[in-house]
């Protein structure tokens, strides 16, 4: 179902009637073809681009000639997910999907560890529960290349304009985003995924930014609806996503260390794209996605503003975060107290050896920071239980 004509055209995903022209644009995009060539044929591209580029275009046209709708794009993504899961994970588990109503639409707010895989695994869980996939919030900082923006919007992504300049432009962008989220859930009956804060939790500390919730309320405030009433209407579901191994753990630790020692970190031009690729192809081990209860009664009875709602979402995510052996071992190594040793007592010898081998692939000077990232969720759960 299309959105109101023109109202959100600059941020919304593509509609069915736009798919064919966007696919054709991608097939003819030199940068897109070059990116595929470098990824698939890194050793041959320098001397054989004259034959590789046309071959890729022919294969893409053949692959995409029957794709004319968003649902068909989603089927292609699902097929790719199956292959990715088979090669980069040991298992993917879900909790809480049975609480989701197939006749309702939700605003899923999750912790943020991986740029692309967080919403992908949420979609995987929903798909296996027989629910429709979500529309995905993605920052325009990741869409510097036109072909990347096309790819994301083909895959039900909508744009968060983080690069808006000036107060008026920012307010206008956030009001439009707030309205689009409400319109998607209530009028178009499409669920939404958004991260709990801008940027990944590189230090492993999952925290909801109240500014995200204030942005969501801008549409309700304009309609003169109270904060509790409006936020309740969005059917907010906190989601905890955990990875046994984070393919970008060393890169995150390096950024944290450089900020600590030099006071700044200069990100390479396409570093975010590299992180996306590494998150997709890198080994993740066991991945767990846990859906919390819909936050409804709490909003009406106890939660009066964005700060209180953020704390409630954090509580659910922290409690539902699945602790892997890597988390428990990292906490044990950092603290070496009876409490943390007991928490890690169930970890097997093979799991210990596997984590030790993983640490050997990371520069020694980053070990403490990597361990701290894995340990944070254990520390928070032990604090909750204390």
């Amino acid at each position: 179902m299309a959105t109101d004509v023109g109202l959100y055209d600059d941020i919304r995903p593509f509609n069915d009637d736009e798919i064919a022209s966007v696919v054709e644009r991608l097939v003819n995009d030199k940068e897109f073809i070059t990116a595929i060539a470098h990824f698939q044929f890194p050793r041959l591209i320098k001397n054989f681009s004259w034959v590789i580029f046309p071959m890729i275009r022919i294969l893409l046209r053949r692959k995409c000639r029957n794709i004319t709708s968003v649902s068909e794009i989603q089927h292609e993504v699902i097929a790719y997910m199956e292959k990715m899961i088979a090669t980069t994970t040991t298992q993917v588990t879900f909790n809480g999907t049975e609480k989701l109503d197939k006749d309702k639409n939700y605003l899923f707010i999750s912790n943020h560890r991986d740029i692309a895989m967080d919403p992908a695994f949420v979609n995987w869980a929903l798909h296996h529960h027989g629910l429709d996939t979500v529309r995905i919030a993605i920052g325009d900082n990741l869409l510097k290349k036109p072909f990347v923006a096309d790819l994301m919007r083909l895959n039900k992504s909508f744009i968060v304009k983080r690069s808006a300049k000036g107060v008026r432009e920012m307010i206008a962008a956030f009001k439009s985003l707030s309205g689009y989220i409400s319109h998607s859930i209530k009028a178009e009956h499409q669920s939404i995924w958004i991260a709990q804060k801008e940027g990944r939790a590189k230090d492993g500390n999952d925290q909801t930014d109240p500014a995200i919730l204030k942005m969501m309320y801008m549409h309700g405030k304009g309609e003169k609806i109270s904060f509790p009433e409006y936020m309740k209407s969005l059917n907010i579901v906190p989601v905890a996503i955990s990875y046994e191994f984070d393919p970008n753990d060393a890169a995150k630790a390096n950024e944290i260390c450089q900020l600590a020692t030099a006071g700044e970190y200069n990100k390479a031009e396409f570093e975010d794209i590299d992180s996306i690729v590494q998150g997709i192809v890198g080994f993740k081990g066991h991945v767990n996605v846990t859906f919390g209860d819909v936050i409804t009664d709490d909003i009406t009875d106890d939660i009066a503003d964005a700060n209180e709602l953020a704390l409630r979402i954090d509580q659910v995510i922290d409690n539902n975060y699945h602790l892997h052996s890597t988390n428990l071992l990292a906490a044990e190594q950092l603290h070496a107290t009876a409490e943390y040793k007991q928490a890690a007592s169930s970890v097997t010898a093979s799991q210990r050896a596997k984590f030790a081998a993983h640490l050997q692939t990371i520069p020694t000077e980053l070990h403490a920071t990597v361990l701290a990232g894995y340990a944070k969720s254990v520390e928070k759960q032990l604090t909750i239980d204390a």
Side-chain angles (χ1 to χ4, degrees), residues 350-362:
S350 63
Q351 289 172 325
R352 289 179 179 275
K354 193 174 182 179
F355 189 51
H358 176 67
L359 287 176
Q360 290 303 308
T361 67
I362 298 171

Side-chain angles (χ1 to χ4, degrees), residues 22-42 44-46 48-64 145-148 150-151:
V22 175
V23 169
E24 182 63 20
R25 185 164 69 230
L26 281 169
V27 170
N28 288 295
D29 189 300
K30 185 176 180 180
E31 285 191 296
F32 178 50
I33 299 301
T34 301
I36 294 175
H38 276 286
F39 182 70
Q40 294 287 345
F41 311 104
L44 300 177
I45 187 64
K46 184 177 181 180
F48 297 98
S49 61
W50 59 275
V51 66
I52 291 174
F53 284 11
M55 179 184 69
I56 291 174
R57 285 195 174 93
I58 291 170
L59 291 174
L60 280 175
R61 279 203 171 89
R62 185 177 301 167
K63 180 79 173 177
C64 300
K145 293 290 187 182
F147 77 82
V148 177
D150 280 346
L151 285 171

Side-chain angles (χ1 to χ4, degrees), residues 31 139-149 267-273:
E31 285 191 296
D140 61 2
N141 59 300
L142 301 174
L143 308 177
K144 295 176 182 178
K145 293 290 187 182
F147 77 82
V148 177
K267 186 179 290 186
E269 184 179 4
F270 299 113
E271 187 170 327
D272 285 332
I273 303 302

Side-chain angles (χ1 to χ4, degrees), residues 64-79:
C64 300
R65 62 189 172 192
N66 295 320
I67 295 178
T68 58
S69 68
V70 174
S71 63
E72 288 167 349
I73 293 284
Q74 293 291 289
H75 285 307
E76 290 295 324
V77 173
I78 288 167

